[in-house]
Amino acid sequence: QELDEDRLEPSLFEVANLLNTRATGKANIDYAKINLIAAEKARGISAFDSCCKYASNGISMLPENKWTFHPDLTVKLYSLAAEAAGFLGQYDKMESYCSHVITQQSISTVEKKDVYLAQLHRTAYAELRYEDAISLCLTILKPLGCKFPYGGPTGLIKALISLRQTIKIVKQTSMERLESLSVVSASSKLALAAFLNGLNEWTYLAGEKYIFINVLTVTKMVQMTLQYGLFDSSATFIAYLGMLTLLVMEDVDTAQFIGERALHTVSF
């Protein structure tokens, strides 16, 4: 209790370990917060076994009314525990942690982002069920206001229209406008981008059946970049748009123009 955050940092794991030997299972919000900080630090150095243990201990120290009075702390602990358990291949544990969060109607889809991503990563990367990952991701995206068309000719037509429109928007965007873009910090936009990043990869791996969604994720991310600001993957998606301009539209000059915009975006 006498240590502030700066003084706690060098001895964080030792303090957390000491608390966990004496207070695990007893409700104590301050101790739960220390376990959260320790779990985040452990995740930062890819120590997922330790991350899972600290998060689990933190959860055991939450009171029964945790979702009512401490929702932020609770969802962070459960999300870290789920993510770490997934990396460790402990999928029964992961699903249990995910279930606790997903069934809570008092928190938003954005707040559930990390547990949803844990489920999606298991489905896509551990089990190679790309179509199931795509279906789940599309369901998650709907409450975020991001809907995709069904397949067939309609889906392809909408993808081509969106591709043409996005290329036109990028061509009309000045370098000054690109340079003025700030880094996105809004949690809702970051969550949407995280799901779109995954969806883009899984639709590529799933094959031609989902090519229209793959194209639409590219155009959506580029449009979001120009509207809201820079994401970690903005340059990649602008470059991907340039590739599509070359492969689909067969426009070499515009593809080069967009590729140069992607390079400039990296340098911002």
Side-chain angles (χ1 to χ4, degrees):
Q1 292 178 345
E2 297 176 358
L3 294 176
D4 57 28
E5 189 169 336
D6 291 335
R7 295 173 63 193
L8 175 64
E9 173 63 23
S11 306
L12 177 60
F13 292 141
E14 289 82 358
V15 172
N17 292 338
L18 180 61
L19 294 176
N20 291 337
T21 59
R22 298 184 177 183
T24 300
K26 300 178 182 178
N28 190 308
I29 291 299
D30 290 332
Y31 292 176
K33 289 178 179 178
I34 290 175
N35 272 286
L36 171 62
I37 298 170
E40 290 175 334
K41 184 175 181 178
R43 181 185 61 178
I45 57 175
S46 299
F48 295 110
D49 186 50
S50 295
C51 175
C52 192
K53 289 178 181 177
Y54 289 127
S56 177
N57 285 327
I59 290 170
S60 74
M61 295 175 180
L62 295 170
E64 292 185 4
N65 57 8
K66 53 186 176 290
W67 289 109
T68 302
F69 294 103
H70 308 283
D72 292 341
L73 174 62
T74 303
V75 75
K76 287 178 181 179
L77 283 168
Y78 273 98
S79 297
L80 279 169
E83 180 184 355
F87 274 109
L88 295 169
Q90 299 172 357
Y91 295 120
D92 288 341
K93 278 187 177 182
M94 187 203 82
E95 288 297 338
S96 177
Y97 292 129
C98 289
S99 178
H100 275 86
V101 176
I102 292 172
T103 56
Q104 296 301 317
Q105 297 181 354
S106 59
I107 59 176
S108 67
T109 300
V110 172
E111 293 172 298
K112 298 174 183 179
K113 179 199 72 172
D114 290 331
V115 295
Y116 277 133
L117 287 174
Q119 287 188 324
L120 288 165
H121 289 167
R122 173 193 177 179
T123 303
Y125 302 128
E127 301 175 350
L128 304 181
R129 294 189 290 120
Y130 301 123
E131 293 196 8
D132 290 337
I134 293 167
S135 178
L136 175 57
C137 193
L138 291 175
T139 301
I140 295 168
L141 284 168
K142 288 181 181 179
L144 298 177
C146 186
K147 298 180 180 180
F148 288 85
Y150 293 104
T154 301
L156 288 172
I157 291 171
K158 289 188 175 181
L160 287 173
I161 292 173
S162 181
L163 180 61
R164 287 181 178 273
Q165 291 175 338
T166 307
I167 292 171
K168 183 179 179 180
I169 292 170
V170 173
K171 289 177 68 176
Q172 294 175 343
T173 301
S174 67
M175 187 61 69
E176 290 75 15
R177 169 59 182 157
L178 283 177
E179 291 176 349
S180 70
L181 294 174
S182 58
V183 176
V184 175
S185 59
S187 58
S188 59
K189 299 299 183 293
L190 292 174
L192 181 55
F195 291 126
L196 288 172
N197 287 340
L199 186 61
N200 175 263
E201 184 173 342
W202 304 323
T203 51
Y204 174 81
L205 293 170
E208 294 183 2
K209 178 181 177 180
Y210 295 98
I211 188 64
F212 73 99
I213 297 180
N214 185 268
V215 173
L216 287 169
T217 59
V218 175
T219 58
K220 179 67 175 177
M221 278 300 303
V222 173
Q223 291 174 15
M224 285 175 56
T225 294
L226 298 178
Q227 183 176 359
Y228 302 117
L230 297 173
F231 299 87
D232 288 343
S233 57
S234 289
T236 300
F237 278 100
I238 295 174
Y240 200 165
L241 180 70
M243 184 187 71
L244 291 173
T245 303
L246 179 61
L247 295 178
V248 179
M249 314 306 293
E250 299 183 346
D251 187 338
V252 176
D253 292 337
T254 301
Q256 181 177 351
F257 175 87
I258 294 174
E260 291 172 351
R261 287 295 190 268
L263 286 174
H264 282 294
T265 303
V266 172
S267 66
F268 294 158

